[in-house]
Amino acid sequence: MKKGLIASLLLAVLLTGCSTAYAETTPTEEPASEATEETTEETEATAEETGETEAAVSVSVPVSAVSNEEFARYLTEVKTNQYFEDTPVPAEDIQLILEAGVNAQSGMNQQSWHFTAVTSQEILQQIADDMSAGMPAGAMSSAGGAMQKAGIADAPLAILISCGDGKDYDAGLATQAMNAAALALGYGTKIVSSPSIALNGENQAGYKELLGIPDDMAFVGAILIGEKTDTSTLDADAITGPTTRNAFSEMTTLVE
């Protein structure tokens, strides 16, 4: 499946699907007026006359109709990215990724979260330095001189996710939505929570002001996003050693 088609399918699920879920759970939704219904009927009639019915319908396709085995397989095979190019992520891509987060599902549609997109390498390095200062001696070093795996300052874009107390699950849904959108656009991603050492530490108030984090929220995680570095010419010992995955049967239960 080509990148563009994957992106279309993913974003259809993330945006169209989540918007549909919101409409179903929002108690203040009002029924369409008669004028609106008449306008809709006129639009459908015009579409039939001009042969545009198929295109019009495709815009409002429900999530269930977008199901595709290759789409699902794509998500199961994507790996965490550890090495990023310095190439900036275009503003339009950042906007689209953030929209996926804003439109994610949340309990009672409260959206108790805040996203801060950071492209300033100076700020990201400041966070990295504060993290290092707050860790035990040697905790940030790389064993055996191998290449460091990606940290907060190693990608051209970091989206910081903050949320209200007890809203971590909702924030996780938004994080995964943005992560999937970034993957659909062809970027490598890595989700980390370690910056909390700095962002929720003694300088939390200063970071909240710097990063636009609401007073009643706290940082919970970040998505590192950027173009993948070609690791084919790197020393294998510097890029291997992934965490062993638990057996599928140990983590799942099917009740029929």
Side-chain angles (χ1 to χ4, degrees), residues 113-214:
W113 52 46
H114 185 84
F115 313 129
T116 305
V118 184
T119 59
S120 168
Q121 289 304 304
E122 181 180 354
I123 292 177
L124 293 177
Q125 188 59 53
Q126 176 184 334
I127 296 172
D129 291 342
D130 282 353
M131 288 173 58
S132 181
M135 286 185 172
M140 293 288 287
S141 63
S142 177
M147 292 179 63
Q148 290 272 14
K149 293 185 177 180
I152 190 69
D154 296 321
L157 168 65
I159 295 181
L160 312 181
I161 298 95
S162 303
C163 70
D165 186 39
K167 301 299 181 181
D168 298 58
Y169 185 79
D170 289 349
L173 292 175
T175 299
Q176 185 58 22
M178 290 188 286
N179 188 64
L183 293 173
L185 292 172
Y187 294 107
T189 67
K190 180 178 182 179
I191 300 174
V192 297
S193 60
S194 53
S196 60
I197 296 172
L199 300 180
N200 294 339
E202 60 182 17
N203 297 323
Q204 183 182 44
Y207 273 121
K208 282 189 173 184
E209 181 177 357
L210 176 66
L211 301 171
I213 299 174

Side-chain angles (χ1 to χ4, degrees), residues 9-219:
L9 291 174
L10 273 169
L11 296 178
V13 171
L14 294 171
L15 302 180
T16 306
C18 294
S19 296
T20 301
Y22 287 165
E24 293 173 350
T25 58
T26 303
T28 57
E29 183 179 0
E30 298 179 356
S33 64
E34 294 182 1
T36 302
E37 293 176 352
E38 292 176 357
T39 302
T40 302
E41 292 175 357
E42 292 176 359
T43 302
E44 292 176 349
T46 302
E48 291 178 359
E49 294 175 0
T50 58
E52 296 178 353
T53 304
E54 183 177 353
V57 171
S58 66
V59 175
S60 58
V61 167
V63 177
S64 59
V66 189
S67 177
N68 183 286
E69 181 179 353
E70 194 166 359
F71 162 75
R73 190 69 59 187
Y74 175 74
L75 291 181
T76 67
E77 296 177 351
V78 171
K79 307 300 182 184
T80 294
N81 193 63
Q82 296 292 356
Y83 311 108
F84 298 89
E85 296 290 343
D86 295 331
T87 308
V89 177
E92 56 268 27
D93 286 354
I94 296 176
Q95 175 76 17
L96 195 55
I97 293 168
L98 290 173
E99 286 179 358
V102 169
N103 285 281
Q105 297 182 39
S106 62
M108 300 300 292
N109 197 28
Q110 292 181 349
Q111 297 177 281
S112 182
W113 52 46
H114 185 84
F115 313 129
T116 305
V118 184
T119 59
S120 168
Q121 289 304 304
E122 181 180 354
I123 292 177
L124 293 177
Q125 188 59 53
Q126 176 184 334
I127 296 172
D129 291 342
D130 282 353
M131 288 173 58
S132 181
M135 286 185 172
M140 293 288 287
S141 63
S142 177
M147 292 179 63
Q148 290 272 14
K149 293 185 177 180
I152 190 69
D154 296 321
L157 168 65
I159 295 181
L160 312 181
I161 298 95
S162 303
C163 70
D165 186 39
K167 301 299 181 181
D168 298 58
Y169 185 79
D170 289 349
L173 292 175
T175 299
Q176 185 58 22
M178 290 188 286
N179 188 64
L183 293 173
L185 292 172
Y187 294 107
T189 67
K190 180 178 182 179
I191 300 174
V192 297
S193 60
S194 53
S196 60
I197 296 172
L199 300 180
N200 294 339
E202 60 182 17
N203 297 323
Q204 183 182 44
Y207 273 121
K208 282 189 173 184
E209 181 177 357
L210 176 66
L211 301 171
I213 299 174
D215 291 337
D216 60 345
M217 296 188 184
F219 169 85

Side-chain angles (χ1 to χ4, degrees), residues 248-256:
F248 180 83
S249 60
E250 295 177 1
M251 299 182 294
T252 61
T253 299
L254 175 61
V255 180
E256 298 180 322

